[in-house]
């Protein structure tokens, strides 16, 4: 049965494959499979060769572990020479199956078919209750039970449809290398089932390159039976406080006796924290000397525990390629292999980002990197530190969303509500009120406080997935830096000679009619005072959701006007595009206005980019984030793949991001050229919309949603801006406790004021830590 399903899997795989340069057939999102890395790369591994990509259960970050889909996708998506990692369990009749957990109920549907067959066993000193492979024959498991994904953040759409794979089934797919891990030899021996006898049979397969175990006794038993020239024995370290069954010593003690380990093994497999410890606050500590010491003993070192869809140490800014680089691209060591649930990300790191710290010059035609509040994934947005970091990270365009204080000082902050981005509520709770014209929620609004009062506030880093998913950004930097005036922002931009700036203006109409503030005039004057209207060296983008605001800047021909389309749209009529053309040179649109999404899969593309570009209107996508919870399944929880897709397939002109370092890493890597003549060893290719979704049984999907409305011409133009009322004529903005229908992206209008210096850039220390250059996924198939 499993071989039949394997044939179907391969057939679907080939049919849905995305075509890549110099490739014949490829898996969904696959990159070309070719010799890895550059021949000039010199690795600090034990043998001087590139680190090994070890796929735990195949591509188990996407499909159920060791399923045919997972094994097949790992083969097509990984670097040549990769290894498939099978955690061995044995059935009652000694048939080997690949499953990591000794409890079948954690990874299969066993409880549905044999609900009364739970048992309790003592496993290495601990009583464990559940379903165990040794209580069932191979026929019982292979003909009835199917696999499930045991990590809830991963797709469940493939649960219950793919059978358990035997070791022979996995070998039949012919991975480049085969790594057999034997985790429970003592337990099986106690129940008269011999792991050693099984291993003795399968080591005759030529691709059986690695056999590992956390039990020294097992390695000693099989040592004499293994051809050491073909198969390497590896000792697996478990948690430091666990006890190794043979020596009865803790693994933390054994790691100090590498000479003894060398007597039974050619290498070690260790949790990654053995090499880079992580403290209780989830930051890296100094590296240990384990790799260096093991290499001195002639031991290979393979690190385990890599996955894209977990909260990584904050040092990595949610970029999984940055973590791999920490292990394979150090100046004094490199591990010999990485055991991962996401082999494509490990592959792209090794092939495209390792030893590419300086980066290559970005290829022409790639999108602009536009910040959202500076490097706001690393520091509180719109602060001096966020802007400095953005420049260091390689941003092309840095942005300032302009807000006004009650005394007319223009400064940068993401929204008019100071609660978003500062601690305003704790200091000025009495100022909090609801203004329906601005937003549904109560807020402390910038025009209610003087600049002196605003300067007393502490910026706050914003975590878009903190409240619900508990995924927080860099807590060590949660309230560092200072807010920046518009004049300081412009001066900084000129001093640093950034390629361009983006000035975002919102709520102009409200500020003019209710607060007596002319934001358009304030911005115009600031730009003129900084001579941005008299030069063409640096790009100036004026962005607004209000066409009347954009009209005020039409006379400065060097400015590019950008219409911010906040609403999700499925299309843009020709009349709407023609209307936009009257006011803007470019648009920003949301991600889901460019791609169609179904159950967290990408099902297709809209025509929005095509229609805008046909009218010579540039398209900037808003906004990209690194957190894995923001990424569709098609992107493999890898922000690099999302960037590659928007750059190469969706063909946007600019990417708005909180993490410019990640975008810059992709733009400067050698793997983003799709020209077949470029002979890229591992091209990072975009996803193929709908290809992954095509593997899902239709019955598992939610009912189709009605498409979003198309943009109409009547939605584009805004009424003229109102006159700016005199300050003496303004009354306090109406307060409301109602949260009924409001326009959270209200239109804007002008306000005067002479911005004073905040000295934030001058006073801030150079605390910005350069982000590690980041990674890209290469997709492939032979």
């Amino acid at each position: 049965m499993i071989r039949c399903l394997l044939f179907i899997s391969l057939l679907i795989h080939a049919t849905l494959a995305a075509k890549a340069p110099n490739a014949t057939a490829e898996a969904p999102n696959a990159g070309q499979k070719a010799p890895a890395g550059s021949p000039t790369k010199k690795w600090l591994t034990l043998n001087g060769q590139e680190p090994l990509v070890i796929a735990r259960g195949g591509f188990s970050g996407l499909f159920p572990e060791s399923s045919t889909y997972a094994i097949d996708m790992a083969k097509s998506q990984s670097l040549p020479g990769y290894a498939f990692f099978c955690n061995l369990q044995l059935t009652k009749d000694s048939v080997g199956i690949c499953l990591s957990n000794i409890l079948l109920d954690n990874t299969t549907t066993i409880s549905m078919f044999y609900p009364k067959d739970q048992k309790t066993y003592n496993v290495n000193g601990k009583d464990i209750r559940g379903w165990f492979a040794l209580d069932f024959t191979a026929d019982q498991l292979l003909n009835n039970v199917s696999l499930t994904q045991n990590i809830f953040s991963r797709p469940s759409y493939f649960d219950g449809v793919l059978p358990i794979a035997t070791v022979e089934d996995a070998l039949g797919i012919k991975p480049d290398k085969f790594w057999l891990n034997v985790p429970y030899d003592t337990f099986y021996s106690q129940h008269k089932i011999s792991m050693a006898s099984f291993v003795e049979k399968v080591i005759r397969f030529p691709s059986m390159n690695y056999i590992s175990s956390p039990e020294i006794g097992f390695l000693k038993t099989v040592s004499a039976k293994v051809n050491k020239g073909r198969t390497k024995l590896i000792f697996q370290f478990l948690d430091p406080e666990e006890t190794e069954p043979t020596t009865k010593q803790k693994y933390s003690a054994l790691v100090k006796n590498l000479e003894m380990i060398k007597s039974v093994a050619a290498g070690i497999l260790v949790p990654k924290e053995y090499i880079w410890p992580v403290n209780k606050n989830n930051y890296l500590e100094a590296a240990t000397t384990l790799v260096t010491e093991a290499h001195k003993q002639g031991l290979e070192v393979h690190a385990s525990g890599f996955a894209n869809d977990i909260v990584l140490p904050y040092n990595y800014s949610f970029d999984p390629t940055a973590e791999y680089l920490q292990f394979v691209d150090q100046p004094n060591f490199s591990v010999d292999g990485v055991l991962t649930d996401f082999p494509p990300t490990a592959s792209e790191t090794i092939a495209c980002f390792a030893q590419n710290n300086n980066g290559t010059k970005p290829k022409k035609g790639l999108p602009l990197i536009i910040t959202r509040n500076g490097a706001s994934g690393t520091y509180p947005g719109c602060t001096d530190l966020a802007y400095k970091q953005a420049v260091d990270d390689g941003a092309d365009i840095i942005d300032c969303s302009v807000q006004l204080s009650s005394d007319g000082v223009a400064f940068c902050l993401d929204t008019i509500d100071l609660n978003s981005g500062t601690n305003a509520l704790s200091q000025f709770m009495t100022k909090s009120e609801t203004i329906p014209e601005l937003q549904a929620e109560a807020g402390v609004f910038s025009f209610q406080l003087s600049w002196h009062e605003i300067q007393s506030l502490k910026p706050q880093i914003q975590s878009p997935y903190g409240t619900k998913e508990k995924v927080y950004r860099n807590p060590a930097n949660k309230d560092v830096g200072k807010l920046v005036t518009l004049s300081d922002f412009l001066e900084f931009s000129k001093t640093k000679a950034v390629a361009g700036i983006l000035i975002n203006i919102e709520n102009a109409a409200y500020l003019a009619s209710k607060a007596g503030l002319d934001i358009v005039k304030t911005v115009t004057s600031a730009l003129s005072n900084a001579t941005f209207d008299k030069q063409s060296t640096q790009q100036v983008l004026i962005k607004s959701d209000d066409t009347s605001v954009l009209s005020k800047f039409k006379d400065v021909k060097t400015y590019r006007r950008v219409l911010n389309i906040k609403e999700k749209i499925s299309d843009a009529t020709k009349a709407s595009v023609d209307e936009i053309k009257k006011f803007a040179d470019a648009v920003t649109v949301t991600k889901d206005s460019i791609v169609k999404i179904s159950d967290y899969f990408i099902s297709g593309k809209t025509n929005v980019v095509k229609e805008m570009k046909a009218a010579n209107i540039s398209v900037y996508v808003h906004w990209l984030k690194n957190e894995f919870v923001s990424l569709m399944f098609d992107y493999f929880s890898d922000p690099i793949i999302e960037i590659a897709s928007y750059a190469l397939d969706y063909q946007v002109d600019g990417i708005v991001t909180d993490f410019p370092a990640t975008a810059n890493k992709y733009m400067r890597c050698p793997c983003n050229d799709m020209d077949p003549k470029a002979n890229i060893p591992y091209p990072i290719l975009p996803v193929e919309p709908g290809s992954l979704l095509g593997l899902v049984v239709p019955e598992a999907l939610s009912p189709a949603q009605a498409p979003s409305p198309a943009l109409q011409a009547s939605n584009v133009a805004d009424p003229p801006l109102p006159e700016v009322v005199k300050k003496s004529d303004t009354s306090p903005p109406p307060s409301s406790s109602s949260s009924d229908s409001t326009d959270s992206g209200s239109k804007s209008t002008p306000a005067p004021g002479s911005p004073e210096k905040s000295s934030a850039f001058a006073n801030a220390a150079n605390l910005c830590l350069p982000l590690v250059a980041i990674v890209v996924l290469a997709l492939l198939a032979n």
Side-chain angles (χ1 to χ4, degrees):
M1 177 182 175
I2 192 166
R3 286 176 175 79
C4 174
L5 281 171
L6 172 57
F7 173 76
I8 295 171
S9 165
L10 291 168
L11 183 61
I12 294 173
H13 188 116
T15 304
L16 297 174
K19 297 296 179 183
N22 303 324
T24 52
E26 308 204 351
N29 313 332
Q32 179 190 353
K33 194 169 185 179
S38 162
T40 61
K41 289 185 177 182
K42 294 181 180 179
W43 299 95
L44 295 178
T45 53
L46 181 63
N47 59 12
Q49 297 177 3
E50 73 180 15
L52 176 67
V53 174
I54 312 162
R56 190 187 71 85
F59 196 164
S60 55
L62 187 60
F63 300 105
E65 178 193 344
S66 298
S67 64
T68 51
Y69 284 5
I71 302 171
D72 186 37
M73 283 285 279
K75 181 177 181 178
S76 68
Q77 300 281 325
S78 301
L79 279 172
Y82 85 102
F84 166 73
F85 188 92
C86 166
N87 269 298
L88 178 65
Q89 309 290 341
L90 291 180
T91 63
K92 182 187 292 186
D93 45 352
S94 295
V95 173
I97 58 176
C98 296
L99 282 177
S100 63
N101 202 300
I102 196 168
L103 292 177
L104 297 181
D105 42 311
N106 283 352
T107 52
T108 74
T109 58
I110 185 91
S111 61
M112 295 172 55
F113 293 93
Y114 304 103
K116 298 180 180 179
D117 288 346
Q118 274 184 303
K119 289 188 179 179
T120 300
Y121 286 110
N122 186 279
V123 181
N124 295 338
K126 297 177 183 176
D127 286 338
I128 299 177
R129 183 167 179 77
W131 286 259
F132 294 78
L134 56 73
D135 290 322
F136 302 91
T137 65
D139 281 346
Q140 285 177 301
L141 295 181
L142 302 181
N143 293 330
N144 298 310
V145 179
S146 52
L147 296 165
T148 59
Q149 182 61 266
N150 67 334
I151 296 177
F152 296 127
S153 61
R154 296 176 179 176
S156 59
Y157 300 96
F158 306 104
D159 288 0
V161 296
L162 299 167
I164 296 170
T166 65
V167 172
E168 287 78 5
D169 289 323
L171 283 164
I173 297 179
K174 297 182 179 178
D176 294 353
K177 292 184 174 72
F178 200 99
W179 185 312
L180 187 67
N181 188 50
V182 183
Y184 298 106
D185 175 61
T186 298
F187 170 73
Y188 277 96
S189 296
Q190 290 168 350
H191 296 277
K192 312 302 181 188
I193 298 176
S194 175
M195 285 281 193
S197 297
F198 178 83
V199 169
E200 190 174 355
K201 295 175 186 175
V202 296
I203 56 176
R204 289 172 283 189
F205 286 92
S207 60
M208 189 65 66
N209 303 94
Y210 297 88
I211 295 175
S212 61
S213 177
E215 301 186 18
I216 288 174
F218 172 79
L219 294 179
K220 288 181 176 179
T221 299
V222 300
S223 178
K225 302 172 184 178
V226 169
N227 179 347
K228 305 287 179 48
R230 189 180 69 187
T231 304
K232 294 178 181 179
L233 295 182
I234 306 293
F235 179 61
Q236 181 187 19
F237 282 83
L238 303 181
D239 184 275
E241 295 307 304
E242 288 194 36
T243 300
E244 191 276 321
T246 307
T247 64
K248 307 302 180 185
Q249 295 184 56
K250 291 184 177 180
Y251 289 98
S252 58
L254 289 173
V255 78
K256 299 173 184 176
N257 194 358
L258 294 177
E259 186 176 354
M260 184 274 290
I261 300 298
K262 176 60 179 173
S263 68
V264 297
I268 56 176
L269 174 64
V270 299
K272 58 189 180 181
E273 292 78 13
Y274 274 63
I275 300 168
W276 283 100
V278 178
N279 65 26
K280 63 180 182 180
N281 296 319
N282 200 33
Y283 287 92
L284 293 179
E285 297 182 342
T288 68
T289 57
L290 175 59
V291 178
T292 305
E293 292 172 0
H295 282 176
K296 286 178 181 177
Q297 293 289 339
L299 288 166
E300 293 182 357
V301 181
H302 302 275
S304 64
F306 292 91
N308 295 2
D309 54 352
I310 57 177
V311 177
L312 302 173
Y314 296 118
N315 310 69
Y316 302 130
S317 296
F318 301 100
D319 176 4
T321 64
E323 181 178 38
Y324 289 109
L325 286 171
Q326 195 78 4
F327 287 81
V328 304
D329 200 19
Q330 287 297 309
N332 57 341
F333 74 83
S334 168
V335 298
D336 299 278
V338 288
L339 176 60
T340 175
D341 292 5
F342 291 83
T345 304
S347 297
E348 73 184 15
T349 303
I350 293 166
C352 304
F353 299 117
Q355 303 181 31
N356 190 44
N357 292 335
N358 294 325
T360 55
K361 189 175 180 180
K363 184 170 66 73
K364 287 185 178 180
L366 291 173
L368 291 170
I369 301 170
I370 305 171
T371 65
R372 177 184 170 273
N373 309 321
S376 55
T378 306
Y379 290 103
C382 299
T383 59
D384 54 335
L385 297 180
Y387 288 126
K388 287 179 179 179
Q389 188 67 54
V391 173
D392 291 342
D393 288 346
D396 298 308
I397 308 288
I398 59 174
D399 70 307
C400 172
S401 289
V402 180
Q403 311 302 336
L404 292 178
S405 63
S406 61
D407 46 349
V409 176
F411 64 99
C412 304
L413 193 66
D414 186 41
T415 74
I416 197 170
D417 181 5
L418 296 171
N419 287 338
S420 177
T422 78
N423 64 338
L425 188 60
S426 64
Q427 291 197 48
F428 296 98
M429 185 177 292
T430 57
K431 299 270 189 178
S432 179
E433 60 181 317
T434 302
I435 303 178
E437 296 96 321
L438 297 178
Q439 62 183 37
E441 302 81 15
V444 177
F445 298 97
S446 66
F447 54 83
Q448 297 173 317
L449 301 182
S450 68
W451 175 238
H452 178 72
E453 290 174 312
I454 291 170
Q455 283 182 299
S456 71
L457 301 176
K458 271 189 170 293
Q460 302 289 311
I461 199 166
Q462 298 296 293
S463 299
Y465 302 101
T467 304
K468 186 176 179 183
E469 289 86 0
K470 306 301 179 188
V471 178
Y472 295 97
R473 292 178 174 177
N474 205 355
N477 292 344
K478 66 180 181 181
D479 57 2
V480 299
K482 298 180 180 179
L483 295 179
V484 174
T485 64
L486 175 59
S487 59
D488 275 353
F489 171 83
L490 297 176
E491 183 179 335
F492 170 77
S493 302
K494 295 189 75 171
T495 302
K496 292 293 185 179
V498 294
I501 58 172
L502 182 148
I503 305 298
N504 183 36
I505 303 172
E506 295 191 357
N507 306 307
Y510 183 89
L511 291 171
S513 61
K514 302 293 185 180
L517 295 171
D518 191 339
I519 191 170
V520 172
K521 182 179 178 181
T522 300
V523 170
T524 302
S525 299
L527 288 169
S528 181
N529 291 340
T531 68
F532 274 96
D533 59 342
K534 302 174 183 67
Q535 58 85 52
S536 57
T537 305
Q538 293 175 285
Q539 292 187 62
V540 177
L541 308 181
I542 305 296
K543 172 183 157 187
S544 182
D545 60 344
D546 191 326
T547 55
S548 294
V549 170
L550 297 179
S551 297
K552 297 290 185 179
F553 293 89
K554 65 181 179 181
D555 294 333
V556 184
K557 301 305 179 186
T558 56
Y559 292 174
R560 283 178 60 80
R561 295 174 294 163
V562 183
L563 179 64
N564 186 16
I565 302 174
K566 295 182 176 181
E567 300 78 13
K568 176 183 172 183
I569 58 175
S570 61
D571 204 349
T573 63
K574 185 178 185 309
S576 69
V577 174
D578 292 342
E579 190 71 9
I580 290 171
K581 191 68 179 170
K582 297 175 185 177
F583 303 100
D585 310 290
V587 294
T588 57
V589 296
T590 59
K591 293 194 294 185
D592 52 7
S593 292
I594 295 175
V595 296
K596 300 174 183 177
I597 296 167
S598 174
D599 287 327
Y600 239 64
F601 292 97
I602 297 172
S603 59
K605 294 184 290 186
T606 70
N607 289 322
V608 170
V609 175
K610 180 181 177 182
E611 289 155 347
M612 294 293 178
K613 296 185 86 165
N616 201 29
I617 296 173
S618 299
V619 179
Y620 308 139
V621 60
H622 184 279
W623 87 86
L624 272 60
K625 302 174 281 290
N626 281 7
E627 289 94 337
F628 68 89
V629 292
S630 74
L631 301 170
M632 300 300 106
F633 292 134
D634 306 69
Y635 299 132
F636 302 163
S637 300
D638 183 348
I640 292 289
I641 300 304
E642 182 180 43
I643 293 167
S645 299
Y646 279 98
L648 300 180
D649 186 33
Y650 314 151
Q651 297 190 327
V652 298
D653 301 286
I655 288 172
V656 181
T657 176
D658 295 354
F659 297 90
T662 307
N664 186 50
K665 176 190 276 186
Y666 168 75
M667 304 303 178
R668 289 183 175 276
C669 89
C671 300
N672 58 29
D673 195 337
M674 293 183 69
D675 185 352
K677 296 178 183 177
N679 196 28
I680 301 300
Y682 194 87
I684 297 172
L685 300 183
V687 304
E688 181 73 13
S691 58
L692 190 57
L693 182 63
L695 294 174
V696 180
V697 222
E699 294 76 22
L701 297 171
S702 305
Q705 300 284 319
S708 302
L711 183 66
Q712 303 295 330
S714 57
N715 304 133
V716 175
D718 294 288
L721 294 174
E723 293 295 324
V724 180
V725 298
K726 292 182 180 180
K727 280 278 191 177
S728 57
D729 296 338
T730 63
S731 55
S735 177
S736 170
S737 58
S738 169
S739 60
D740 293 341
S741 62
T742 66
D743 182 4
S744 60
S746 321
K747 309 298 181 182
S748 4
T749 305
S754 176
E756 61 183 78
K757 296 276 185 180
S758 72
S759 302
F761 285 111
N763 295 333
N766 292 323
L767 301 176
C768 305
L769 301 172
L771 294 179
V772 187
I774 311 175
V775 179
V776 161
L777 168 130
L779 311 138
L780 32 122
N782 278 348

